[in-house]
Amino acid sequence: MKIQAAFSLIAALLLHVPLVAQNGKPTQFSMQQEAAMDLHRTIELDNDSKPAEITLSIKPGERSFDLSIFTMVSEGKLAIEVYDPNKTKQGSFTVGTQLDAGKKELVRGNLEKSWIEPIGGDWKVKIIPSYATGRIEIHTLTAVY
Amino acid sequence: MKFTHLGYAIAMVFIGGLVPNVCKAQSESSAYISGHLSLNKSWDSTIYLSHIPTFDDMYVMSNDMILAKADIDSLGYFFFDVDFLPEEENLYRLHIVKKDDTPATLIIGGKDENHHFLIANRFSQIFLDGAPEKPPFKTISYRNSSVNSEFQVITEMVSRADSVASKSTAAKRRLVEDQLLTNLLNIADTSSHFLVSLHAIYRSKFESNYGSNSDKYDAFLERWRKQDNPYYSSFAKHIPSSHTSHIGVWASFLTVLFAAVGFLFFRRGSRESKGLEKLSVQERKVFQFLQEGASNKEISEHFNIEMSTVKTHVSSIYAKLKVRSRKDVVNMK
């Protein structure tokens, strides 16, 4: 799985330091409101079958959490599952191409969810590809009081 | 001549009166899924019908699931002829796409959620009406399908609860979710329609709620156990095997039993085939040491017997087992 290095680094840093925005420190990422963080992560898949898991750390007491996942596959199959810190599945979908398709085809799947006062802890986005070629974009927006 | 003309005229009147009735009868007998949607210009004017083989596949999208497509006219009306559907009721999905999107696009949640589930078969005559809201399938009413009206009640109940929960504090969200779970399990318990009942079960997030409501889910399985279809079996797979059926438990038990008996029989046969039954009790003990690679001296010390006695046992073992060396004994494992 080829995770775009720059995006990953920024996302990883930001995901683990949510208090940066809370403290009102200037940041290099887009600010939707005074204490909001907008994170973007892009993952490229190239005939991939290795499952991956992305952790989204939500601090207890955050006001809201918006999650958008955009996927596109041109080959293979891709399943996405979202779990809250209580391990309850909060959403899932699968996009797949026809195995015997003679020509290129695109299949898209998007998931958009929002929570007010989300459960604090590690939210997981499970990525389960099967010979998948395509792209995943994960956008998160968190806001504090 | 006049008589001919009169007969012709009578015939035409008769046919003229008959044809519309025939057409009407044909249209009444054919199956269809039709409806009306209020769409803005961002949406493409095509609607797709997909087959959903199990409730686990509700949110699976691929081109091979799409059965048919239909045009949405300028007033928002569409029509699918569904004579080709199976006789049994199945789950289907209607979806639309944005103008720039590929036909196989599934959007879950948000203002652009693009799909709607319904039950149909080759006899269905369904008309659904979408209220002018965002997303386009947010509020759907059925004019002539009680099963889909019932199905839709569940969809809207969940959607409403999700909407309230997403805007509520954590404490209120728990209450909303608890109430939703209670309502869904009640529907699952009381609905007379299998797919409606199963829809309620799936919407109740049984994977995380099974532990605290196992009796309800088990009751569902028991109630609909005669359902011989992928919808039932795919759900049953999620439920711990001890609850799925006593036959399954017995089958598992017998499988283990047969495996154990077979293993013992094989071991015995295997041992007998090696000629171990010909060894005396003492020789078998020595044989075990030989297999572990012990020397004559070690065997002598362990059993507190003379070296010559050990050699006698070893020679006898070789003869009875028709082997020539310790290496052959070790390789008999």
Side-chain angles (χ1 to χ4, degrees), chain B residues 38-314:
Chain B
S38 299
L39 302 177
N40 63 30
K41 290 181 180 176
S42 67
W43 296 98
D44 191 50
S45 60
T46 305
I47 184 165
Y48 302 87
L49 177 68
S50 300
H51 178 232
I52 309 298
T54 74
F55 277 81
D56 292 323
D57 298 312
M58 287 178 87
Y59 298 106
V60 175
M61 174 54 85
S62 72
N63 278 304
D64 57 357
M65 295 172 82
I66 298 175
L67 297 174
K69 62 180 182 177
D71 291 333
I72 303 172
D73 70 18
S74 57
L75 297 174
Y77 289 91
F78 65 89
F79 183 93
F80 287 101
D81 188 334
V82 292
D83 282 336
F84 62 92
L85 296 186
E87 205 170 303
E88 302 78 27
E89 286 187 323
N90 272 252
L91 183 63
Y92 296 92
R93 180 176 62 209
L94 292 170
H95 81 271
I96 51 179
V97 297
K98 290 282 183 176
K99 275 183 175 157
D100 296 332
D101 270 339
T102 175
T105 296
L106 186 64
I107 304 171
I108 303 162
K111 289 179 181 174
D112 290 332
E113 186 164 77
N114 69 337
H115 59 277
H116 174 75
F117 298 100
L118 74 166
I119 297 169
N121 64 11
R122 74 168 53 159
F123 310 113
S124 295
Q125 296 181 325
I126 295 169
F127 183 89
L128 61 91
D129 195 11
E133 292 182 69
K134 281 186 176 182
F137 290 110
K138 183 179 181 185
T139 306
I140 295 288
S141 57
Y142 285 90
R143 286 188 192 165
N144 47 0
S145 175
S146 59
V147 63
N148 276 301
S149 295
E150 202 180 338
F151 195 88
Q152 184 61 12
V153 165
I154 297 170
T155 306
E156 288 182 8
M157 184 188 289
V158 174
S159 173
R160 210 164 35 242
D162 275 353
S163 176
V164 172
S166 69
K167 295 168 191 161
S168 303
T169 60
K172 186 178 175 184
R173 186 164 58 235
R174 274 196 296 278
L175 291 176
V176 170
E177 288 171 350
D178 287 349
Q179 187 58 51
L180 176 65
L181 177 62
T182 303
N183 293 342
L184 289 171
L185 292 178
N186 280 340
I187 292 174
D189 190 37
T190 55
S191 174
S192 59
H193 197 284
F194 168 65
L195 289 178
V196 172
S197 187
L198 186 56
H199 185 210
I201 288 283
Y202 265 82
R203 295 292 191 174
S204 71
K205 295 185 178 176
F206 64 86
E207 286 160 319
S208 46
N209 288 319
Y210 178 79
S212 52
N213 292 279
S214 59
D215 55 332
K216 304 271 187 190
Y217 295 109
D218 293 344
F220 172 86
L221 282 174
E222 181 62 21
R223 182 179 169 213
W224 298 103
R225 68 183 186 280
K226 289 181 182 170
Q227 288 286 329
D228 181 22
N229 59 51
Y231 296 104
Y232 181 87
S233 54
S234 63
F235 171 66
K237 278 183 199 164
H238 292 289
I239 300 302
S241 59
S242 61
H243 298 281
T244 52
S245 90
H246 295 299
I247 294 171
V249 173
W250 277 104
S252 304
F253 173 73
L254 289 174
T255 304
V256 171
L257 185 67
F258 281 126
V261 170
F263 175 71
L264 290 172
F265 185 77
F266 172 78
R267 275 191 64 185
R268 187 179 170 207
S270 166
R271 189 176 287 171
E272 285 174 355
S273 68
K274 290 173 185 171
L276 297 183
E277 77 283 0
K278 296 174 186 170
L279 303 182
S280 68
V281 175
Q282 189 65 14
E283 285 169 347
R284 285 186 192 184
K285 290 177 183 173
V286 174
F287 172 79
Q288 284 179 346
F289 273 76
L290 289 176
Q291 281 210 309
E292 289 166 11
S295 65
N296 286 353
K297 189 180 176 190
E298 287 168 335
I299 296 170
S300 163
E301 288 170 356
H302 182 82
F303 291 110
N304 195 24
I305 54 177
E306 294 293 327
M307 280 288 282
S308 58
T309 309
V310 175
K311 285 178 183 174
T312 304
H313 284 317
V314 171

